[in-house]
Structures are given as structure tokens and as C-alpha cells.
Amino acid sequence: MFGNVHEECGVFAIYGSKSSNVAVQTYLGLYALQHRGQESCGIVVNDDGVFSYRRDLGLVHEVFNKDTLAALGDGNIAVGHVRYSTTGNSNRSNAQPLVVRHVKGPMAIAHNGNLVNARELREEYELKGAIFHTTNDTEVISYVITEQRLVSPSIEDAVLNAMSKIKGAYSIVVMSPKKLIAARDPVGFRPLSLGKLDDGSYIISSETCAFDSIGAEFVRDIEPGELIVIDENGVRSDRRHCGEHEHKMCVFEYVYFARPDSVIEGVSVHNARLKAGEFLWKEHPVDADVVVGVPDSGLDAALGFSRASGIPYGVGFIKNRYIGRTFIQPSQAERTNSVKIKLNAISSTVKDKKVVMIDDSMVRGTTSGRVVKLLRDAGAKEVHVRFACPQFIAPCFFGTDIDSKENLIACKMTLPEICEHIGADSLGFLSVENVQKLAENPHCGFCVGCFTEEYPIPVPKEMPKDKFEFKIGGKK
């Protein structure tokens, strides 16, 4: 649900040839991953060890055009990133990929996830004299890799050694002058996949939908703890960190983050959301005339609810396609203003009817009330609200922007109070038990810590988004 949960980031990389047009391929891949981050983006192109890059605040089509892509040159390796700030505020210096130049040669790195020990690592390196130019976790990771590179025989060994030191969620791509490396944390919180083009180019992407956008073939998911190296000799894998933890991917990838046309851990995201709607009907049936979904991530669950219940599915909202995902706006005031122009209810669908409104989630409850009011103003007789995941009762430490309990409506109100607060006639959330059953026969288990306060690995007591941003005197 826009207005609620902040997005992840998206990484994309390609190892091809100078005729592969890697800059344009990366641009198209980032376009497909735009839903994962709309604050900033960037591309780094490697031409025989010379790195050219552009990164800035804005959407992919705002940062790049024909001329800026041409200026990146005709290299054979490229790394790209779209970002929403889970750690570090929105500013140009935090845009990725980061480019690091050191005695062993240049390195570019892009990262999706969040470290639970980033603060400790940063303090360790600052005490050694390190100077940080950003306030994100990715620069911390780059320092760990760079330190390990000085004592390791190769860049892949440096990354492998760094994986023993960094803790938390990370799906990363690292580019050296001659190699492309991808690595996924041993828990496998965030998705990461390997693909291949007909010309022999290899692709790394956060989601498979990016493969489809450039005509690439999905090869396989990168395993939790696995490191992939792509160079002139092809692809090789190192699994020495595999099996260190039980695989627990963030279940919210299926509920909200991923695009419906992606396949994650062997399961269609679209089908998982249909199943969420089916479970919602079984758990929270209601007598109604029409089922509507809130665009975009509530639509598939609404269709599943309709099919399971036999209640007709209707198009209840028109979305202004020229506005990005509203919740990406960093301040509450900006989110509020965006909601007013993003959606409009279709009166002919809901007028004088008992409506079931399906959405993916509720965090603060502010936006849900406004959407319910849209249906009321369009003539809906009753509005029954259903959410395709459980209530958020705890922070996320692995990349989802839920950093404290104080703004979570479920920690402040009972279910009847929330129902009254948003102006609904009834309210229902998917159970924790069934949210873990959304994916049929997945290759993984799921992290549901934000719903249960039980996490796959130890977590700090608190970890605010702006943990590296303090004013003089220690005050934010």
C-alpha cells in the first residue's frame, strides 16, 4: 500500500562484450527494477579497467538519456542500482553504485539490504582513520572488502572474507577491472538471480522481471551464502558460506516489494498474491457486492479474494500513472499531498454497493483512511477492508523502512479501534501462519520478524534509518 512501507533497492549487472551495449542493457534493466527504488539511481561501466559512471537523484529516465548513456562508453561490464534510502537519507552522495579507487585497482559496488552491525563496523574503521563520504551501509561494505583485498590473493577472496565480517541482509554486486562478482547473505533475506543473453552475456538482477525486459533467460537463483564470479573464463561459484544459516527470505517480497511478473525462489509473485486473497476470504469472509484492489500491489490479492468468494471483481480505482509510488516521498507531508492526486475512485463500480477493499499492508494507518474515504465519497454503502499480510508490530532490521514501534498503528490501537480510525465497516489482516504459505513449494523459508518480533539472526535494540547522521553534540 502506498503511504506505508518503504521500498527496497534494486541491483543489476552485466558481463558481456564491447558490442553488448552494456550501458543501455543496464539502463533497461534498471527501468524494470524502478519499483524497488525511486530516490536515486546510477550506472558504472568498465572499459578495460577504466570506470565511467553517472549517478544522481531521480528516476531512471530522469538521470539517463541517450547522451548520458553514450558518455559512459563501450565497456564490457556494467553495474547499476536503483535506491530507496533504508539507511542514510536521500541525497546525491548516497546514490549508488559506489566507486572506490585503491592500490589494488578500482572497484564498483551496489547493494540491496541492510547490515545489523554497520554502526560497529563504521566506528571500527573511523578509529583506524577511515573517512566516510556517505551515510549508507554500502560504503561500510566497501571498506571491509577493500581491507580484505590488501591481504587476499583475489577480489573474490576479499569478498568471501568480507562476508564473514558483515552481518545482516545483503545482495551485492561488485565490479573489478576484470571481474563481476555477486554475493548473497547466508540467510538469503533479499532475492538475487543469474540470467544469460543469447550472445553469451551474463546478467545479475534483484528480480527476474529485469531479465524479461532485455530478452535474457533466467538461469537460477543465487543461493544464500553463495558467491558468483563472472570473468573471461565464464561463471564459477563458491559456496563456502552456504548453509551457515537457515534460508529465511523476507516474505514481504511476495506481498509487496517484487513485481508480479517476477519469479522468486521458484514461485510466481502473481500466484502468491492470488493465494493471499484466497486466504483472506477464508479467514475474513464478508457479505459484499464487489471486490476492489488498491493499485498496484493490492490488485492480485483482490482477484484472488474474488475468485475464492464468488463476489464479482471490479476496477475500483484509477491510478495516475505519472506519479511514482507515493510512499517513496520521504516526508509525511509529501506523502499526504501525493495521495490526493494519485488515486480516484470509480463511482460506477462502487456506488450504492457493499465494497471489499483489498490492499497489501498497513503501517501507520493514515493513507488507508483516505482511501476508504475515497470510496465513501464515490457512493459506497459499506467498505470492508482486508490486508494481504499481518499487522506490523516490530521493526525490520534487514532493509524495510520500519525502524521503531512508535509509528506502528498496531502497537497503539486494538483492531476495533483501527477499524474505526480508518472509517471501515470491518477489518481483517492475513494471519502470520498463512502469510508463510503464500508461496507453494518455495525453495526457502521466510523471515516474518516484523509481524512476530522473532528474527532469524540476532538484531540490535534499535537501528534508525539515519543512524550515521548526527549534528554536533550528538543530536540528530
Side-chain angles (χ1 to χ4, degrees), residues 98 100 102 107 109 115 117-125 128 130 132 137-152 154-155 157-167 170 172 174:
L98 297 184
V100 178
H102 58 101
M107 176 182 74
I109 180 171
L115 302 185
N117 66 336
R119 178 182 288 180
E120 293 80 5
L121 288 172
R122 182 169 175 136
E123 290 175 354
E124 173 188 331
Y125 287 106
K128 293 178 181 178
F132 285 81
D137 284 359
T138 312
E139 190 173 16
V140 175
I141 297 173
S142 74
Y143 266 99
V144 181
I145 295 174
T146 301
E147 178 187 61
Q148 296 299 320
R149 184 67 183 95
L150 296 175
V151 296
S152 301
S154 65
I155 181 65
D157 285 307
V159 177
L160 278 166
N161 292 335
M163 291 171 70
S164 297
K165 195 167 185 177
I166 58 178
K167 308 297 180 184
Y170 56 87
I172 58 176
V174 177

Side-chain angles (χ1 to χ4, degrees), residues 451-471:
F451 308 133
T452 64
E453 210 165 3
E454 297 175 1
Y455 304 100
I457 61 175
V459 297
K461 291 182 179 180
E462 61 178 356
M463 190 168 63
K465 169 182 172 179
D466 54 352
K467 62 190 176 189
F468 298 142
E469 294 164 344
F470 295 92
K471 294 182 179 179

Side-chain angles (χ1 to χ4, degrees), residues 3 54 70 107 113 139 157 169 194-195 204 216 224 231 243 288 309 319 343 350 354 364 369 373 377 412 414 428 460:
R54 176 176 173 81
M107 176 182 74
E139 190 173 16
D157 285 307
L194 174 69
I204 301 292
D231 58 19
S309 65
K319 177 183 176 182
L343 280 187
V350 303
K354 293 181 285 185
R364 302 171 187 88
K373 187 176 185 302
D377 292 344
K412 298 187 291 186
T414 65

Side-chain angles (χ1 to χ4, degrees), residues 284-328:
H284 305 286
V286 63
D287 177 27
D289 302 311
V290 65
V291 181
V292 301
V294 179
D296 286 311
S297 49
L299 299 179
D300 294 343
L303 183 57
F305 191 99
S306 172
R307 289 178 177 176
S309 65
I311 302 171
Y313 173 87
V315 179
F317 299 96
I318 290 296
K319 177 183 176 182
N320 185 337
R321 299 291 174 181
Y322 300 96
I323 301 178
R325 284 186 165 184
T326 313
F327 65 82
I328 293 288

Side-chain angles (χ1 to χ4, degrees), residues 355-372:
V355 180
V356 181
M357 185 189 97
I358 308 289
D359 209 349
D360 58 83
S361 62
M362 177 194 288
V363 179
R364 302 171 187 88
T366 51
T367 305
S368 299
R370 297 188 195 102
V371 181
V372 170

